[in-house]
Amino acid sequence: MNKQKYISELSSYLKCLPPSEREVVLGDYEEHFANALYCSRDEEEIVRSLGTPKLVAKEIIAQYRLQEATHSPTLNRITKATLAIAGIGIFNIVPVLIPFAISLLVVVSMYVIAGLLLASPLIMLIQNGVSWNLLFDFFWILGLVGVGLLLVIGLNKMITWYYNQVLRYLRYSIRKWGRNI
């Protein structure tokens, strides 16, 4: 494979990146080829040392997604970063995707529990109908709603910590299981 074919394939795999970011990356690889050719290395040797364009593109996209999630952490961006890092290789699925899925399941479960606690008055009203028993359960309902509110407030504070921990783990994972790009 020669330089033009390599750069062309790499460009096609990097279509999901913004055009400005793609141009920077491709410029870096053009420069890498130019420097290596200047040092009397042939193009095929350079291509072998870089790795396949598909793998290089996966690693670049993973780095980009991780950087994007670090600058503006949202669940969508963190999920994209996690999937990109897990997609680098088969060995990344178990140590990256499974812990993320389990931790996300725990967080979502806690939000569901908080929602059910907040909806407990409505649930008890549907279950028992309007009756005098509702007055006897008033403090019980009030306590459930209070616990639900406290849980929602705590979860909203905790979500920032959760995002930071996931991003920290993703940075660790890309250092440990990815190649240096």
Side-chain angles (χ1 to χ4, degrees):
M1 178 181 297
N2 64 11
K3 170 188 155 189
Q4 287 305 88
K5 186 169 174 32
Y6 188 89
I7 297 292
S8 174
E9 275 188 45
L10 184 60
S11 177
S12 69
Y13 288 123
L14 295 175
K15 291 281 187 210
C16 65
L17 293 180
S20 61
E21 186 72 26
R22 189 173 347 122
E23 291 304 316
V24 168
V25 169
L26 294 176
D28 287 347
Y29 277 86
E30 290 273 356
E31 187 177 321
H32 183 73
F33 270 98
N35 289 339
L37 288 171
Y38 181 76
C39 294
S40 302
R41 293 176 60 197
D42 73 345
E43 288 183 356
E44 289 194 17
E45 181 185 347
I46 300 166
V47 168
R48 275 193 307 274
S49 70
L50 290 175
T52 65
K54 187 174 186 176
L55 179 61
V56 170
K58 283 181 177 183
E59 291 172 343
I60 291 168
I61 291 168
Q63 285 281 3
Y64 175 76
R65 295 286 186 216
L66 182 59
Q67 181 182 16
E68 187 180 47
T70 300
H71 289 303
S72 179
T74 63
L75 183 59
N76 185 31
R77 287 183 174 165
I78 290 175
T79 302
K80 284 181 180 180
T82 302
L83 293 174
I85 292 170
I88 290 174
I90 192 73
F91 297 113
N92 290 3
I93 291 174
V94 172
V96 174
L97 202 55
I98 292 176
F100 176 71
I102 291 171
S103 66
L104 186 60
L105 183 65
V106 168
V107 170
V108 168
S109 303
M110 292 176 74
Y111 271 106
V112 167
I113 290 169
L116 289 173
L117 287 171
L118 290 173
S120 62
L122 184 61
I123 294 169
M124 290 182 88
L125 187 63
I126 291 170
Q127 182 181 1
N128 298 332
V130 177
S131 67
W132 289 104
N133 288 339
L134 196 60
L135 288 175
F136 295 119
D137 293 334
F138 177 74
F139 291 109
W140 177 245
I141 293 171
L142 195 60
L144 291 176
V145 170
V147 169
L149 283 172
L150 288 173
L151 190 56
V152 166
I153 292 168
L155 286 171
N156 286 338
K157 298 283 185 191
M158 187 198 76
I159 203 74
T160 304
W161 175 83
Y162 172 72
Y163 284 166
N164 289 333
Q165 296 308 311
V166 170
L167 290 171
R168 221 171 113 206
Y169 184 71
L170 291 176
R171 281 190 291 275
Y172 166 76
S173 296
I174 210 164
R175 275 193 318 270
K176 183 162 174 79
W177 292 293
R179 294 182 323 148
N180 292 329
I181 54 176

